[in-house]
C-alpha cells in the first residue's frame, strides 16, 4: 500500500463538483479580478474568525510584507523572528529593508518566552509564528510587546481556525497574516493569502498597498504594488470554507488515534495540545533521535512523511547568523511530520500506526 503524505487529488467527488461549478460560473460571468466572490470571502472570514477586517491578497508572503509596510517598518528597523519557521517570515522583513533578529524557540518550535532579551532601540516589531498550527501564548506575548512599545505581527500561515480563549489566530496582533496555499487547512487551488486587523486605518492602508496605492482606479495615494487575490481563488476558498469544520474534525480524529497509539513509546516525543482549540492540527510532528532511520523505514513500507523544516533560518545562506538556537536546531534534526489530512483513509491510518509501532518494537 502506498500512502502519500498528502494527495490533494483525493478530494471527495462532491467537493470537486462544487469547485468545477464555481469555475464554470466565473467563466460564464467573465469576472476574474475583484467582484462578489472577493467580497464574500472577506465577509465569511470576518464572520468565522470574528475579525473586524480581513483583506485578501495574493499569498501569505505578501501578507507579511504588506503588514510590515503598513506599520511603517523599513530600513534601520529590527524585527524579532523565531529561528524555526518557513523562510517567508524573515524574507518579508528583508524585503522592506529591515533586519530580522533571530531568537530561539521552545522545544516545540514556538518563539521562546525570553525573546524580549533581543529588544534594542531599533526593535520595532515581533513576529510570533503559530508553528504547525499551535498558537503562541498571545496574552503573555501581547502584554510584553505592549510594555516594550513593539508592534505584533502574527504569522498564522499554518493556524487558520485555531482559537485561544475564544479569539482566533491572526486576530491578536496589530496585523495577522494568513496563507491559503493549497496544503493549508483552508487552502485555495493556487496562491492566496490574507491580512487581518482590528484597526480601520491599518485595513485602509493595507488595501491601498496591495492595489498600487489606489482607493479607486487611477487615483494613487501612495506607492503600492499588485497583490490582489484572484477572483477564482477567492471563489474556490468560499467553497472550501464550507467544508472546513468537517475537515477539521477529521484531522483531530486522526491526531487522537496517533496520540492513543504512540503514548507509550518512550523514545517518541508527541505534539502537545493538538486536540485543543488553540491548535488546528495542521501538522502532526513527532520527535525522535531515530528520525532518519524511521523515515527510511516508513518509506520502504510505502508511507510518505515530511520534514518541516530541515534547516533553521539563521543557518540559511541569505542570513548566515551565528547564535544560540539549540532548541530550533534540535527540532530541525529530530522532527518528522506524519500524514495528517482529511483525505486519509482509516485503513491507511491503521497501517501508519502499525508501521511505527513495529519500528520501535525492533
Amino acid at each position: 500500500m502506498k500512502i502519500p503524505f498528502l494527495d490533494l487529488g483525493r478530494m471527495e467527488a462532491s467537493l470537486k463538483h462544487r469547485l468545477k461549478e464555481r469555475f464554470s460560473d466565473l467563466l460564464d460571468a467573465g469576472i476574474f479580478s475583484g467582484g462578489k466572490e472577493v467580497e464574500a470571502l472577506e465577509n465569511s472570514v470576518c464572520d468565522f474568525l470574528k475579525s473586524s477586517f480581513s483583506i485578501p491578497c495574493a499569498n501569505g508572503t505578501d501578507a507579511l510584507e504588506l503588514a510590515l509596510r503598513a506599520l511603517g517598518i523599513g530600513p534601520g528597523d529590527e524585527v524579532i523572528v523565531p529561528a524555526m519557521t518557513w523562510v517567508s517570515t524573515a524574507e518579508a522583513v528583508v524585503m522592506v529593508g529591515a533586519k530580522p533578529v533571530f531568537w530561539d524557540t521552545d522545544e516545540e518550535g514556538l518563539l521562546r518566552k525570553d525573546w524580549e532579551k533581543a529588544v534594542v532601540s531599533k526593535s520595532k516589531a515581533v513576529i510570533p509564528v503559530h508553528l504547525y498550527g499551535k498558537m503562541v501564548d498571545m496574552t503573555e506575548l501581547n502584554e510584553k510587546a505592549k510594555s516594550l512599545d513593539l508592534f505584533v505581527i502574527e504569522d498564522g500561515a499554518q493556524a487558520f481556525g485555531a482559537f485561544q480563549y475564544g479569539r482566533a489566530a491572526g486576530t491578536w496582533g496589530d496585523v495577522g497574516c494568513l496563507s491559503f496555499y493549497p496544503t493549508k487547512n483552508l487552502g485555495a487551488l493556487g496562491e492566496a493569502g490574507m491580512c487581518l486587523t482590528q484597526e480601520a486605518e491599518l485595513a485602509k492602508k493595507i488595501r491601498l498597498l496591495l492595489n498600487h496605492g489606489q482607493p479607486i482606479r487611477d487615483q494613487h495615494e501612495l506607492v503600492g504594488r499588485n497583490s490582489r487575490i484572484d477572483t477564482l481563488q477567492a471563489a474556490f476558498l468560499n467553497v472550501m470554507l464550507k467544508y472546513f469544520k468537517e475537515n477539521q474534525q477529521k484531522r483531530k480524529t486522526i491526531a487522537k488515534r496517533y496520540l492513543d497509539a504512540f503514548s507509550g513509546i518512550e523514545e517518541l516525543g508527541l505534539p502537545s495540545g493538538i486536540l485543543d482549540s488553540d491548535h488546528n492540527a495542521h501538522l502532526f510532528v513527532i520527535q525522535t533521535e531515530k528520525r532518519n532511520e524511521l523515515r527510511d523505514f516508513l518509506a520502504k513500507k510505502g508511507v510518505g512523511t515530511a520534514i518541516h523544516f530541515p534547516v533553521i533560518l539563521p543557518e540559511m545562506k541569505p542570513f548566515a547568523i551565528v547564535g544560540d538556537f539549540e532548541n530550533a536546531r534540535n527540532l530541525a534534526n529530530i522532527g518528522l511530520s506524519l500524514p495528517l489530512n482529511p483525505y486519509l483513509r482509516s485503513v491507511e491510518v491503521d497501517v501508519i500506526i502499525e508501521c511505527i509501532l513495529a519500528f520501535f518494537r525492533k
Side-chain angles (χ1 to χ4, degrees):
M1 180 183 291
K2 292 288 186 181
I3 305 173
F5 178 73
L6 173 63
D7 181 2
L8 294 174
R10 288 185 171 192
M11 293 178 188
E12 55 265 36
S14 61
L15 174 55
K16 287 184 177 180
H17 179 69
R18 291 189 66 181
L19 291 168
K20 290 175 182 177
E21 278 189 330
R22 194 58 59 91
F23 174 75
S24 180
D25 291 343
L26 285 176
L27 196 60
D28 289 341
I31 299 174
F32 308 115
S33 182
K36 293 182 180 179
E37 291 289 352
V38 176
E39 294 174 10
L41 178 63
E42 292 185 15
N43 293 334
S44 295
V45 171
C46 279
D47 182 62
F48 187 76
L49 300 182
K50 301 298 184 288
S51 180
S52 298
F53 302 95
S54 67
I55 307 101
C57 60
N59 54 69
T61 304
D62 278 8
L64 289 163
E65 185 176 338
L66 290 165
L68 289 159
R69 290 189 63 188
L71 293 169
I73 296 170
D77 296 333
E78 293 188 0
V79 179
I80 299 166
V81 175
M84 168 67 82
T85 176
W86 176 244
V87 70
S88 295
T89 315
E91 203 170 38
V93 176
V94 174
M95 291 300 291
V96 301
K99 177 184 176 182
V101 176
F102 298 108
W103 199 251
D104 199 11
T105 66
D106 62 19
E107 294 180 351
E108 291 196 279
L110 302 183
L111 186 64
R112 205 172 66 195
K113 291 189 175 184
D114 62 348
W115 59 266
E116 75 277 4
K117 294 178 182 178
V119 175
V120 296
S121 60
K122 294 181 179 180
S123 302
K124 292 296 186 292
V126 57
I127 304 182
V129 177
H130 304 314
L131 200 71
Y132 309 147
K134 181 180 175 66
M135 291 181 67
V136 173
D137 183 340
M138 290 305 297
T139 299
E140 179 180 326
L141 186 138
N142 272 355
E143 289 175 354
K144 191 177 294 185
K146 185 176 182 181
S147 70
L148 296 167
D149 198 26
L150 298 180
F151 293 118
V152 175
I153 301 171
E154 280 182 86
D155 186 336
Q158 298 184 341
F160 185 91
F163 287 81
Q164 194 172 86
Y165 306 118
R167 290 181 62 180
T171 66
W172 288 77
D174 294 281
V175 183
C177 302
L178 306 178
S179 169
F180 299 127
Y181 188 72
T183 60
K184 298 298 192 288
N185 292 35
L186 178 64
L189 302 191
E191 302 285 349
M194 179 175 280
C195 289
L196 304 174
T197 185
Q198 313 316 306
E199 300 179 28
E201 286 303 309
L202 269 178
K204 179 181 177 181
K205 190 168 185 181
I206 292 169
R207 290 187 191 281
L208 288 174
L209 287 168
L210 66 82
N211 189 29
H212 300 293
Q214 55 181 1
I216 59 175
R217 188 172 177 83
D218 297 323
Q219 179 181 318
H220 302 272
E221 297 187 358
L222 48 78
V223 175
R225 56 177 299 182
N226 177 13
S227 185
R228 297 186 298 267
I229 190 173
D230 287 345
T231 304
L232 187 60
Q233 297 306 330
F236 289 150
L237 286 167
N238 285 327
V239 172
M240 301 295 272
L241 187 55
K242 296 182 185 301
Y243 289 76
F244 182 76
K245 287 185 178 180
E246 177 185 344
N247 285 338
Q248 282 299 103
Q249 186 56 53
K250 292 177 181 178
R251 286 177 177 272
K252 296 280 186 171
T253 298
I254 296 169
K256 186 177 188 307
R257 291 186 63 188
Y258 285 155
L259 291 175
D260 290 344
F262 304 145
S263 61
I265 303 176
E266 294 182 1
E267 300 169 87
L268 201 58
L270 301 175
S272 66
I274 196 168
L275 302 182
D276 297 336
S277 64
D278 66 348
H279 198 316
N280 76 346
H282 176 57
L283 294 173
F284 194 100
V285 181
I286 58 176
Q287 297 182 36
T288 173
E289 298 291 340
K290 300 177 180 178
R291 191 268 304 277
N292 294 337
E293 297 95 317
L294 175 59
R295 190 185 192 199
D296 291 343
F297 177 83
L298 291 174
K300 290 177 181 177
K301 298 292 185 180
V303 177
T305 57
I307 297 175
H308 301 85
F309 304 93
V311 181
I312 63 173
L313 296 189
E315 294 179 352
M316 291 183 180
K317 185 177 179 181
F319 310 112
I321 295 172
V322 177
D324 175 20
F325 309 109
E326 180 180 356
N327 289 332
R329 186 177 295 109
N330 184 58
L331 184 53
N333 291 333
I334 68 173
L336 183 67
S337 301
L338 301 183
L340 179 64
N341 61 78
Y343 314 119
L344 272 179
R345 304 180 182 100
S346 181
V347 66
E348 292 177 323
V349 178
D350 291 338
V351 171
I352 294 167
I353 290 172
E354 181 52 40
C355 285
I356 292 175
L357 292 176
F359 176 83
F360 284 102
R361 278 199 296 264
K362 293 194 306 177

